[in-house]
Amino acid sequence: MLAYTTIPAQLRSDGIDHPIVPLPFGPARLQQISFFAPGSEIYAQGEKAGNIYQVEFGAVRVYRLLADGRRQISAFYLSGEVFGLEADANHHFFAEAITSTNLRLFPRVKLGDISEELFSLTLRSLTRAQEHLLVLGRQTAAERVAAFLLDLAERQGGLEQVDLPMSRMDIGDYLGLTIETVSRVFSKLKDKGIIALPTLRSAEIKKWNALQAMSE
């Protein structure tokens, strides 16, 4: 069951009129804007895939529950990014809001009606999934965390200050590491002066070259 409240496209969650930001695809009249509280389910594995989603603000995690009950996060989606693209009629993963999140919802389009912009976004999503597999194939935890931080920094405009909306447990479930290992690697990177940790949900990259060398 979808855990959201649909509101008009002209309104954001604060109830104030805002100009509509140009969209990467789809006519504005077909879109809905919906707010999801932290931890709210957006869709469930096996549920009919009726929409494509674009993050207006906030963050989303997409994951699957393994047979032994463990959670494997396959992707995080940040502001401006698109998810929910499926090859068939049903979702193969769960999707949840990590923080307070606004999503734009678009009805699924037929393959023949797909726009050039949406096709580009689809290819970008596929490339990111392939890069995630490469990260999981790295030998050390430090290499995985370094690659993760660089990826987030790039997606947030290449700024030194990187927002970390996800928890350490989320990061571990994404990188195939325990929460203890993730916390230990962050502490080691901080002790070496490679990053600073001004808050629990942010990191400041101090030595780009060192972080890049670790991720190669």
Side-chain angles (χ1 to χ4, degrees), residues 46-211:
E47 190 174 276
K48 184 177 179 181
N51 294 301
I52 296 168
Y53 305 82
Q54 183 184 35
V55 181
E56 184 180 37
F57 64 79
V60 172
R61 58 179 163 246
V62 173
Y63 68 93
R64 178 174 287 180
L65 294 176
L66 305 180
D68 59 5
R70 291 181 297 122
R71 181 185 67 167
Q72 175 63 62
I73 294 179
S74 64
F76 296 112
Y77 293 95
L78 309 176
S79 179
E81 296 179 346
V82 173
F83 67 99
L85 300 163
E86 300 287 356
D88 52 34
N90 298 312
H91 288 294
H92 296 270
F93 296 86
F94 294 89
E96 288 180 348
I98 299 174
T99 61
S100 296
T101 300
N102 246 33
L103 298 179
R104 292 173 178 151
L105 282 63
F106 303 86
R108 284 187 64 178
V109 295
K110 296 179 180 179
L111 186 60
D113 297 331
I114 195 167
S115 68
E116 182 178 348
E117 292 85 358
L118 181 54
F119 183 65
S120 176
L121 290 167
T122 304
L123 291 180
R124 194 178 308 165
S125 179
L126 176 61
T127 299
R128 185 166 293 133
Q130 293 171 332
E131 290 173 347
H132 181 215
L133 291 176
L134 292 176
V135 169
L136 292 179
R138 296 177 188 273
Q139 293 185 347
T140 71
E143 290 173 344
R144 297 184 189 186
V145 172
F148 172 74
L149 288 174
L150 288 171
D151 175 61
L152 277 187
E154 180 183 351
R155 290 160 65 184
Q156 295 178 23
L159 301 176
E160 292 182 358
Q161 188 86 8
V162 180
D163 289 330
L164 299 173
M166 64 290 295
S167 66
R168 299 290 192 267
M169 182 176 290
D170 283 343
I171 296 171
D173 288 348
Y174 178 69
L175 297 178
L177 303 171
T178 65
I179 184 174
E180 294 81 9
T181 299
V182 172
S183 297
R184 186 166 58 251
V185 171
F186 270 92
S187 295
K188 287 184 177 179
L189 293 176
K190 179 182 177 181
D191 292 342
K192 292 179 179 179
I194 297 175
I195 65 171
L197 298 172
T199 69
L200 186 63
R201 293 301 175 92
S202 66
E204 184 178 351
I205 300 176
K206 295 289 190 178
K207 298 179 180 178
W208 284 90
N209 290 340
L211 204 62

Side-chain angles (χ1 to χ4, degrees), residues 7-76:
I7 60 178
Q10 290 78 15
L11 297 177
R12 285 184 44 186
S13 60
D14 53 12
I16 301 174
D17 285 321
H18 293 270
I20 296 298
V21 177
L23 303 175
F25 59 89
R29 64 183 176 80
L30 295 181
Q31 68 170 300
Q32 296 176 334
I33 297 183
S34 299
F35 174 79
F36 293 79
S40 296
E41 183 180 279
I42 299 166
Y43 56 75
Q45 182 178 333
E47 190 174 276
K48 184 177 179 181
N51 294 301
I52 296 168
Y53 305 82
Q54 183 184 35
V55 181
E56 184 180 37
F57 64 79
V60 172
R61 58 179 163 246
V62 173
Y63 68 93
R64 178 174 287 180
L65 294 176
L66 305 180
D68 59 5
R70 291 181 297 122
R71 181 185 67 167
Q72 175 63 62
I73 294 179
S74 64
F76 296 112

